[in-house]
Amino acid sequence: MSTSREPLGIMNATTSEDDISSWEDLYSIEWIPKEVFIKFRQQVEGYQLGVNFEVNGCNTKLVFKPLTSDRKWKIIYEPKYADVRVLTKKIPIGPFLNFQGDLEKH
């Protein structure tokens, strides 16, 4: 019996490749993200058109906004709910707080 305190997977003179059966024996990751997004963006004549896919909630959003640095709005359409929203620019209220207006059409 070896009393060595080597981490698993470190090969030394007393261990051999036969002691380690697979990579799964060396690690265990138990991480499940709460939300997973896939985003596609395309720039067209000064505007950005985007498609956001939310994997966990099976939700899709189409986003349309100007590319200028002083943009004042963006439009979001959610086909699942037939919902169209016009969002204003985020306005900083404090160092950690922003305000954003929302007009919504169901």
PDB file of all heavy atoms in Angstrom, residues 43-74:
ATOM      1  N   GLN A  43     -24.738  42.672 -39.298  1.00  0.00           N
ATOM      2  CA  GLN A  43     -24.809  44.117 -39.464  1.00  0.00           C
ATOM      3  C   GLN A  43     -25.242  44.435 -40.886  1.00  0.00           C
ATOM      4  O   GLN A  43     -24.656  43.931 -41.842  1.00  0.00           O
ATOM      5  CB  GLN A  43     -23.457  44.748 -39.169  1.00  0.00           C
ATOM      6  CG  GLN A  43     -23.031  44.536 -37.743  1.00  0.00           C
ATOM      7  CD  GLN A  43     -21.641  45.091 -37.467  1.00  0.00           C
ATOM      8  OE1 GLN A  43     -21.010  45.660 -38.330  1.00  0.00           O
ATOM      9  NE2 GLN A  43     -21.183  44.903 -36.241  1.00  0.00           N
ATOM     10  N   VAL A  44     -26.291  45.280 -40.993  1.00  0.00           N
ATOM     11  CA  VAL A  44     -26.837  45.649 -42.290  1.00  0.00           C
ATOM     12  C   VAL A  44     -27.060  47.152 -42.321  1.00  0.00           C
ATOM     13  O   VAL A  44     -27.916  47.663 -41.595  1.00  0.00           O
ATOM     14  CB  VAL A  44     -28.173  44.915 -42.561  1.00  0.00           C
ATOM     15  CG1 VAL A  44     -28.750  45.323 -43.901  1.00  0.00           C
ATOM     16  CG2 VAL A  44     -27.994  43.419 -42.483  1.00  0.00           C
ATOM     17  N   GLU A  45     -26.283  47.867 -43.129  1.00  0.00           N
ATOM     18  CA  GLU A  45     -26.448  49.298 -43.369  1.00  0.00           C
ATOM     19  C   GLU A  45     -26.680  50.125 -42.105  1.00  0.00           C
ATOM     20  O   GLU A  45     -27.673  50.831 -41.988  1.00  0.00           O
ATOM     21  CB  GLU A  45     -27.585  49.528 -44.359  1.00  0.00           C
ATOM     22  CG  GLU A  45     -27.296  48.956 -45.725  1.00  0.00           C
ATOM     23  CD  GLU A  45     -28.353  49.314 -46.744  1.00  0.00           C
ATOM     24  OE1 GLU A  45     -29.093  50.287 -46.533  1.00  0.00           O
ATOM     25  OE2 GLU A  45     -28.424  48.612 -47.748  1.00  0.00           O
ATOM     26  N   GLY A  46     -25.809  50.021 -41.142  1.00  0.00           N
ATOM     27  CA  GLY A  46     -25.892  50.832 -39.932  1.00  0.00           C
ATOM     28  C   GLY A  46     -26.803  50.274 -38.852  1.00  0.00           C
ATOM     29  O   GLY A  46     -27.026  50.919 -37.831  1.00  0.00           O
ATOM     30  N   TYR A  47     -27.352  49.094 -39.053  1.00  0.00           N
ATOM     31  CA  TYR A  47     -28.214  48.450 -38.069  1.00  0.00           C
ATOM     32  C   TYR A  47     -27.694  47.056 -37.781  1.00  0.00           C
ATOM     33  O   TYR A  47     -26.995  46.460 -38.586  1.00  0.00           O
ATOM     34  CB  TYR A  47     -29.661  48.356 -38.568  1.00  0.00           C
ATOM     35  CG  TYR A  47     -30.314  49.707 -38.716  1.00  0.00           C
ATOM     36  CD1 TYR A  47     -30.336  50.345 -39.940  1.00  0.00           C
ATOM     37  CD2 TYR A  47     -30.874  50.337 -37.617  1.00  0.00           C
ATOM     38  CE1 TYR A  47     -30.916  51.595 -40.084  1.00  0.00           C
ATOM     39  CE2 TYR A  47     -31.460  51.585 -37.751  1.00  0.00           C
ATOM     40  CZ  TYR A  47     -31.474  52.204 -38.984  1.00  0.00           C
ATOM     41  OH  TYR A  47     -32.039  53.438 -39.101  1.00  0.00           O
ATOM     42  N   GLN A  48     -28.054  46.557 -36.622  1.00  0.00           N
ATOM     43  CA  GLN A  48     -27.675  45.194 -36.243  1.00  0.00           C
ATOM     44  C   GLN A  48     -28.939  44.371 -36.079  1.00  0.00           C
ATOM     45  O   GLN A  48     -29.863  44.756 -35.361  1.00  0.00           O
ATOM     46  CB  GLN A  48     -26.895  45.195 -34.935  1.00  0.00           C
ATOM     47  CG  GLN A  48     -26.483  43.813 -34.486  1.00  0.00           C
ATOM     48  CD  GLN A  48     -25.622  43.860 -33.246  1.00  0.00           C
ATOM     49  OE1 GLN A  48     -24.923  44.823 -32.985  1.00  0.00           O
ATOM     50  NE2 GLN A  48     -25.671  42.810 -32.463  1.00  0.00           N
ATOM     51  N   LEU A  49     -28.979  43.240 -36.753  1.00  0.00           N
ATOM     52  CA  LEU A  49     -30.088  42.294 -36.634  1.00  0.00           C
ATOM     53  C   LEU A  49     -29.545  41.066 -35.930  1.00  0.00           C
ATOM     54  O   LEU A  49     -28.517  40.516 -36.324  1.00  0.00           O
ATOM     55  CB  LEU A  49     -30.634  41.925 -38.011  1.00  0.00           C
ATOM     56  CG  LEU A  49     -31.802  40.971 -38.046  1.00  0.00           C
ATOM     57  CD1 LEU A  49     -33.010  41.588 -37.327  1.00  0.00           C
ATOM     58  CD2 LEU A  49     -32.174  40.631 -39.465  1.00  0.00           C
ATOM     59  N   GLY A  50     -30.199  40.650 -34.858  1.00  0.00           N
ATOM     60  CA  GLY A  50     -29.719  39.517 -34.086  1.00  0.00           C
ATOM     61  C   GLY A  50     -30.813  38.515 -33.806  1.00  0.00           C
ATOM     62  O   GLY A  50     -31.994  38.854 -33.770  1.00  0.00           O
ATOM     63  N   VAL A  51     -30.411  37.275 -33.609  1.00  0.00           N
ATOM     64  CA  VAL A  51     -31.318  36.205 -33.215  1.00  0.00           C
ATOM     65  C   VAL A  51     -30.730  35.555 -31.972  1.00  0.00           C
ATOM     66  O   VAL A  51     -29.577  35.138 -31.976  1.00  0.00           O
ATOM     67  CB  VAL A  51     -31.488  35.153 -34.331  1.00  0.00           C
ATOM     68  CG1 VAL A  51     -32.431  34.053 -33.889  1.00  0.00           C
ATOM     69  CG2 VAL A  51     -31.973  35.791 -35.622  1.00  0.00           C
ATOM     70  N   ASN A  52     -31.515  35.513 -30.895  1.00  0.00           N
ATOM     71  CA  ASN A  52     -31.090  34.889 -29.638  1.00  0.00           C
ATOM     72  C   ASN A  52     -31.917  33.630 -29.420  1.00  0.00           C
ATOM     73  O   ASN A  52     -33.149  33.689 -29.442  1.00  0.00           O
ATOM     74  CB  ASN A  52     -31.310  35.835 -28.458  1.00  0.00           C
ATOM     75  CG  ASN A  52     -30.564  37.136 -28.593  1.00  0.00           C
ATOM     76  OD1 ASN A  52     -29.697  37.284 -29.426  1.00  0.00           O
ATOM     77  ND2 ASN A  52     -30.913  38.087 -27.767  1.00  0.00           N
ATOM     78  N   PHE A  53     -31.258  32.521 -29.194  1.00  0.00           N
ATOM     79  CA  PHE A  53     -31.938  31.265 -28.862  1.00  0.00           C
ATOM     80  C   PHE A  53     -31.636  30.931 -27.405  1.00  0.00           C
ATOM     81  O   PHE A  53     -30.475  30.795 -27.031  1.00  0.00           O
ATOM     82  CB  PHE A  53     -31.454  30.113 -29.744  1.00  0.00           C
ATOM     83  CG  PHE A  53     -31.750  30.297 -31.196  1.00  0.00           C
ATOM     84  CD1 PHE A  53     -30.750  30.667 -32.073  1.00  0.00           C
ATOM     85  CD2 PHE A  53     -33.029  30.110 -31.685  1.00  0.00           C
ATOM     86  CE1 PHE A  53     -31.002  30.838 -33.417  1.00  0.00           C
ATOM     87  CE2 PHE A  53     -33.309  30.283 -33.023  1.00  0.00           C
ATOM     88  CZ  PHE A  53     -32.289  30.642 -33.891  1.00  0.00           C
ATOM     89  N   GLU A  54     -32.666  30.798 -26.601  1.00  0.00           N
ATOM     90  CA  GLU A  54     -32.498  30.375 -25.218  1.00  0.00           C
ATOM     91  C   GLU A  54     -32.748  28.873 -25.192  1.00  0.00           C
ATOM     92  O   GLU A  54     -33.862  28.413 -25.431  1.00  0.00           O
ATOM     93  CB  GLU A  54     -33.487  31.100 -24.315  1.00  0.00           C
ATOM     94  CG  GLU A  54     -33.326  30.760 -22.853  1.00  0.00           C
ATOM     95  CD  GLU A  54     -34.337  31.488 -21.982  1.00  0.00           C
ATOM     96  OE1 GLU A  54     -34.896  32.495 -22.400  1.00  0.00           O
ATOM     97  OE2 GLU A  54     -34.550  30.999 -20.862  1.00  0.00           O
ATOM     98  N   VAL A  55     -31.712  28.115 -24.908  1.00  0.00           N
ATOM     99  CA  VAL A  55     -31.777  26.661 -25.008  1.00  0.00           C
ATOM    100  C   VAL A  55     -32.665  26.059 -23.918  1.00  0.00           C
ATOM    101  O   VAL A  55     -33.518  25.222 -24.192  1.00  0.00           O
ATOM    102  CB  VAL A  55     -30.361  26.047 -24.971  1.00  0.00           C
ATOM    103  CG1 VAL A  55     -30.424  24.538 -24.982  1.00  0.00           C
ATOM    104  CG2 VAL A  55     -29.533  26.567 -26.129  1.00  0.00           C
ATOM    105  N   ASN A  56     -32.505  26.495 -22.675  1.00  0.00           N
ATOM    106  CA  ASN A  56     -33.242  25.885 -21.564  1.00  0.00           C
ATOM    107  C   ASN A  56     -34.730  26.176 -21.635  1.00  0.00           C
ATOM    108  O   ASN A  56     -35.544  25.327 -21.324  1.00  0.00           O
ATOM    109  CB  ASN A  56     -32.678  26.369 -20.230  1.00  0.00           C
ATOM    110  CG  ASN A  56     -31.247  25.947 -20.040  1.00  0.00           C
ATOM    111  OD1 ASN A  56     -30.668  25.296 -20.892  1.00  0.00           O
ATOM    112  ND2 ASN A  56     -30.658  26.325 -18.938  1.00  0.00           N
ATOM    113  N   GLY A  57     -35.109  27.383 -22.013  1.00  0.00           N
ATOM    114  CA  GLY A  57     -36.518  27.760 -22.054  1.00  0.00           C
ATOM    115  C   GLY A  57     -37.142  27.618 -23.422  1.00  0.00           C
ATOM    116  O   GLY A  57     -38.321  27.921 -23.605  1.00  0.00           O
ATOM    117  N   CYS A  58     -36.383  27.152 -24.417  1.00  0.00           N
ATOM    118  CA  CYS A  58     -36.864  27.017 -25.790  1.00  0.00           C
ATOM    119  C   CYS A  58     -37.517  28.311 -26.259  1.00  0.00           C
ATOM    120  O   CYS A  58     -38.630  28.309 -26.773  1.00  0.00           O
ATOM    121  CB  CYS A  58     -37.811  25.837 -25.926  1.00  0.00           C
ATOM    122  SG  CYS A  58     -37.059  24.274 -25.527  1.00  0.00           S
ATOM    123  N   ASN A  59     -36.833  29.432 -26.064  1.00  0.00           N
ATOM    124  CA  ASN A  59     -37.356  30.737 -26.414  1.00  0.00           C
ATOM    125  C   ASN A  59     -36.466  31.361 -27.481  1.00  0.00           C
ATOM    126  O   ASN A  59     -35.260  31.156 -27.491  1.00  0.00           O
ATOM    127  CB  ASN A  59     -37.388  31.624 -25.162  1.00  0.00           C
ATOM    128  CG  ASN A  59     -38.325  32.780 -25.299  1.00  0.00           C
ATOM    129  OD1 ASN A  59     -39.068  32.877 -26.261  1.00  0.00           O
ATOM    130  ND2 ASN A  59     -38.283  33.683 -24.336  1.00  0.00           N
ATOM    131  N   THR A  60     -37.068  32.134 -28.388  1.00  0.00           N
ATOM    132  CA  THR A  60     -36.338  32.805 -29.446  1.00  0.00           C
ATOM    133  C   THR A  60     -36.672  34.285 -29.414  1.00  0.00           C
ATOM    134  O   THR A  60     -37.818  34.654 -29.182  1.00  0.00           O
ATOM    135  CB  THR A  60     -36.730  32.233 -30.818  1.00  0.00           C
ATOM    136  OG1 THR A  60     -36.487  30.833 -30.816  1.00  0.00           O
ATOM    137  CG2 THR A  60     -35.941  32.875 -31.933  1.00  0.00           C
ATOM    138  N   LYS A  61     -35.665  35.133 -29.660  1.00  0.00           N
ATOM    139  CA  LYS A  61     -35.876  36.574 -29.739  1.00  0.00           C
ATOM    140  C   LYS A  61     -35.176  37.098 -30.980  1.00  0.00           C
ATOM    141  O   LYS A  61     -34.056  36.701 -31.275  1.00  0.00           O
ATOM    142  CB  LYS A  61     -35.285  37.297 -28.528  1.00  0.00           C
ATOM    143  CG  LYS A  61     -35.962  37.011 -27.236  1.00  0.00           C
ATOM    144  CD  LYS A  61     -35.302  37.786 -26.114  1.00  0.00           C
ATOM    145  CE  LYS A  61     -35.902  37.413 -24.772  1.00  0.00           C
ATOM    146  NZ  LYS A  61     -35.267  38.123 -23.680  1.00  0.00           N
ATOM    147  N   LEU A  62     -35.845  38.004 -31.690  1.00  0.00           N
ATOM    148  CA  LEU A  62     -35.243  38.739 -32.786  1.00  0.00           C
ATOM    149  C   LEU A  62     -34.995  40.149 -32.278  1.00  0.00           C
ATOM    150  O   LEU A  62     -35.901  40.781 -31.738  1.00  0.00           O
ATOM    151  CB  LEU A  62     -36.166  38.768 -34.000  1.00  0.00           C
ATOM    152  CG  LEU A  62     -36.570  37.406 -34.561  1.00  0.00           C
ATOM    153  CD1 LEU A  62     -37.648  37.566 -35.609  1.00  0.00           C
ATOM    154  CD2 LEU A  62     -35.369  36.702 -35.146  1.00  0.00           C
ATOM    155  N   VAL A  63     -33.765  40.648 -32.450  1.00  0.00           N
ATOM    156  CA  VAL A  63     -33.381  41.958 -31.925  1.00  0.00           C
ATOM    157  C   VAL A  63     -32.920  42.828 -33.092  1.00  0.00           C
ATOM    158  O   VAL A  63     -32.116  42.404 -33.916  1.00  0.00           O
ATOM    159  CB  VAL A  63     -32.245  41.826 -30.887  1.00  0.00           C
ATOM    160  CG1 VAL A  63     -31.857  43.183 -30.343  1.00  0.00           C
ATOM    161  CG2 VAL A  63     -32.649  40.889 -29.768  1.00  0.00           C
ATOM    162  N   PHE A  64     -33.447  44.065 -33.145  1.00  0.00           N
ATOM    163  CA  PHE A  64     -33.092  45.027 -34.184  1.00  0.00           C
ATOM    164  C   PHE A  64     -32.712  46.334 -33.506  1.00  0.00           C
ATOM    165  O   PHE A  64     -33.490  46.872 -32.713  1.00  0.00           O
ATOM    166  CB  PHE A  64     -34.290  45.230 -35.122  1.00  0.00           C
ATOM    167  CG  PHE A  64     -34.028  46.173 -36.249  1.00  0.00           C
ATOM    168  CD1 PHE A  64     -33.219  45.793 -37.301  1.00  0.00           C
ATOM    169  CD2 PHE A  64     -34.594  47.435 -36.258  1.00  0.00           C
ATOM    170  CE1 PHE A  64     -32.979  46.658 -38.347  1.00  0.00           C
ATOM    171  CE2 PHE A  64     -34.358  48.310 -37.298  1.00  0.00           C
ATOM    172  CZ  PHE A  64     -33.549  47.928 -38.348  1.00  0.00           C
ATOM    173  N   LYS A  65     -31.487  46.838 -33.778  1.00  0.00           N
ATOM    174  CA  LYS A  65     -31.049  48.076 -33.139  1.00  0.00           C
ATOM    175  C   LYS A  65     -30.023  48.777 -34.023  1.00  0.00           C
ATOM    176  O   LYS A  65     -29.337  48.136 -34.819  1.00  0.00           O
ATOM    177  CB  LYS A  65     -30.471  47.805 -31.759  1.00  0.00           C
ATOM    178  CG  LYS A  65     -29.238  46.908 -31.738  1.00  0.00           C
ATOM    179  CD  LYS A  65     -28.832  46.614 -30.315  1.00  0.00           C
ATOM    180  CE  LYS A  65     -27.697  45.620 -30.250  1.00  0.00           C
ATOM    181  NZ  LYS A  65     -27.342  45.288 -28.893  1.00  0.00           N
ATOM    182  N   PRO A  66     -29.917  50.113 -33.868  1.00  0.00           N
ATOM    183  CA  PRO A  66     -28.903  50.845 -34.639  1.00  0.00           C
ATOM    184  C   PRO A  66     -27.500  50.576 -34.087  1.00  0.00           C
ATOM    185  O   PRO A  66     -27.337  50.236 -32.924  1.00  0.00           O
ATOM    186  CB  PRO A  66     -29.300  52.308 -34.456  1.00  0.00           C
ATOM    187  CG  PRO A  66     -30.168  52.342 -33.249  1.00  0.00           C
ATOM    188  CD  PRO A  66     -30.773  50.997 -33.094  1.00  0.00           C
ATOM    189  N   LEU A  67     -26.489  50.745 -34.955  1.00  0.00           N
ATOM    190  CA  LEU A  67     -25.109  50.488 -34.548  1.00  0.00           C
ATOM    191  C   LEU A  67     -24.420  51.714 -33.965  1.00  0.00           C
ATOM    192  O   LEU A  67     -23.317  51.602 -33.460  1.00  0.00           O
ATOM    193  CB  LEU A  67     -24.293  49.991 -35.745  1.00  0.00           C
ATOM    194  CG  LEU A  67     -24.534  48.545 -36.144  1.00  0.00           C
ATOM    195  CD1 LEU A  67     -23.763  48.222 -37.412  1.00  0.00           C
ATOM    196  CD2 LEU A  67     -24.132  47.602 -35.035  1.00  0.00           C
ATOM    197  N   THR A  68     -25.044  52.878 -34.014  1.00  0.00           N
ATOM    198  CA  THR A  68     -24.390  54.088 -33.518  1.00  0.00           C
ATOM    199  C   THR A  68     -24.136  53.986 -32.019  1.00  0.00           C
ATOM    200  O   THR A  68     -24.856  53.300 -31.290  1.00  0.00           O
ATOM    201  CB  THR A  68     -25.256  55.329 -33.808  1.00  0.00           C
ATOM    202  OG1 THR A  68     -26.511  55.168 -33.153  1.00  0.00           O
ATOM    203  CG2 THR A  68     -25.473  55.504 -35.287  1.00  0.00           C
ATOM    204  N   SER A  69     -23.112  54.705 -31.562  1.00  0.00           N
ATOM    205  CA  SER A  69     -22.752  54.638 -30.143  1.00  0.00           C
ATOM    206  C   SER A  69     -23.777  55.341 -29.255  1.00  0.00           C
ATOM    207  O   SER A  69     -23.872  55.049 -28.073  1.00  0.00           O
ATOM    208  CB  SER A  69     -21.367  55.240 -29.920  1.00  0.00           C
ATOM    209  OG  SER A  69     -21.379  56.606 -30.310  1.00  0.00           O
ATOM    210  N   ASP A  70     -24.559  56.256 -29.816  1.00  0.00           N
ATOM    211  CA  ASP A  70     -25.569  56.969 -29.022  1.00  0.00           C
ATOM    212  C   ASP A  70     -26.983  56.462 -29.311  1.00  0.00           C
ATOM    213  O   ASP A  70     -27.936  57.225 -29.328  1.00  0.00           O
ATOM    214  CB  ASP A  70     -25.480  58.476 -29.270  1.00  0.00           C
ATOM    215  CG  ASP A  70     -25.776  58.835 -30.716  1.00  0.00           C
ATOM    216  OD1 ASP A  70     -25.619  57.956 -31.592  1.00  0.00           O
ATOM    217  OD2 ASP A  70     -26.159  59.989 -30.969  1.00  0.00           O
ATOM    218  N   ARG A  71     -27.115  55.172 -29.539  1.00  0.00           N
ATOM    219  CA  ARG A  71     -28.438  54.623 -29.870  1.00  0.00           C
ATOM    220  C   ARG A  71     -29.409  54.846 -28.718  1.00  0.00           C
ATOM    221  O   ARG A  71     -29.052  54.751 -27.545  1.00  0.00           O
ATOM    222  CB  ARG A  71     -28.348  53.149 -30.234  1.00  0.00           C
ATOM    223  CG  ARG A  71     -27.963  52.244 -29.097  1.00  0.00           C
ATOM    224  CD  ARG A  71     -28.023  50.783 -29.537  1.00  0.00           C
ATOM    225  NE  ARG A  71     -27.433  49.928 -28.551  1.00  0.00           N
ATOM    226  CZ  ARG A  71     -26.231  49.408 -28.646  1.00  0.00           C
ATOM    227  NH1 ARG A  71     -25.481  49.654 -29.690  1.00  0.00           N
ATOM    228  NH2 ARG A  71     -25.765  48.631 -27.695  1.00  0.00           N
ATOM    229  N   LYS A  72     -30.629  55.142 -29.068  1.00  0.00           N
ATOM    230  CA  LYS A  72     -31.645  55.490 -28.088  1.00  0.00           C
ATOM    231  C   LYS A  72     -32.706  54.396 -27.933  1.00  0.00           C
ATOM    232  O   LYS A  72     -33.537  54.468 -27.058  1.00  0.00           O
ATOM    233  CB  LYS A  72     -32.345  56.785 -28.511  1.00  0.00           C
ATOM    234  CG  LYS A  72     -31.407  57.935 -28.785  1.00  0.00           C
ATOM    235  CD  LYS A  72     -31.372  58.861 -27.621  1.00  0.00           C
ATOM    236  CE  LYS A  72     -30.646  60.133 -27.965  1.00  0.00           C
ATOM    237  NZ  LYS A  72     -29.350  60.244 -27.420  1.00  0.00           N
ATOM    238  N   TRP A  73     -32.699  53.370 -28.770  1.00  0.00           N
ATOM    239  CA  TRP A  73     -33.762  52.372 -28.759  1.00  0.00           C
ATOM    240  C   TRP A  73     -33.257  51.043 -29.315  1.00  0.00           C
ATOM    241  O   TRP A  73     -32.218  50.975 -29.958  1.00  0.00           O
ATOM    242  CB  TRP A  73     -34.944  52.842 -29.602  1.00  0.00           C
ATOM    243  CG  TRP A  73     -34.544  53.160 -31.018  1.00  0.00           C
ATOM    244  CD1 TRP A  73     -34.110  54.360 -31.487  1.00  0.00           C
ATOM    245  CD2 TRP A  73     -34.479  52.255 -32.115  1.00  0.00           C
ATOM    246  NE1 TRP A  73     -33.792  54.273 -32.817  1.00  0.00           N
ATOM    247  CE2 TRP A  73     -34.020  52.992 -33.229  1.00  0.00           C
ATOM    248  CE3 TRP A  73     -34.766  50.917 -32.294  1.00  0.00           C
ATOM    249  CZ2 TRP A  73     -33.842  52.416 -34.479  1.00  0.00           C
ATOM    250  CZ3 TRP A  73     -34.590  50.347 -33.538  1.00  0.00           C
ATOM    251  CH2 TRP A  73     -34.137  51.095 -34.607  1.00  0.00           C
ATOM    252  N   LYS A  74     -34.039  50.011 -29.088  1.00  0.00           N
ATOM    253  CA  LYS A  74     -33.889  48.728 -29.776  1.00  0.00           C
ATOM    254  C   LYS A  74     -35.242  48.043 -29.764  1.00  0.00           C
ATOM    255  O   LYS A  74     -36.076  48.279 -28.879  1.00  0.00           O
ATOM    256  CB  LYS A  74     -32.799  47.858 -29.169  1.00  0.00           C
ATOM    257  CG  LYS A  74     -33.076  47.287 -27.808  1.00  0.00           C
ATOM    258  CD  LYS A  74     -31.906  46.413 -27.374  1.00  0.00           C
ATOM    259  CE  LYS A  74     -32.029  46.013 -25.928  1.00  0.00           C
ATOM    260  NZ  LYS A  74     -30.898  45.198 -25.501  1.00  0.00           N
TER     261      LYS A  74
END
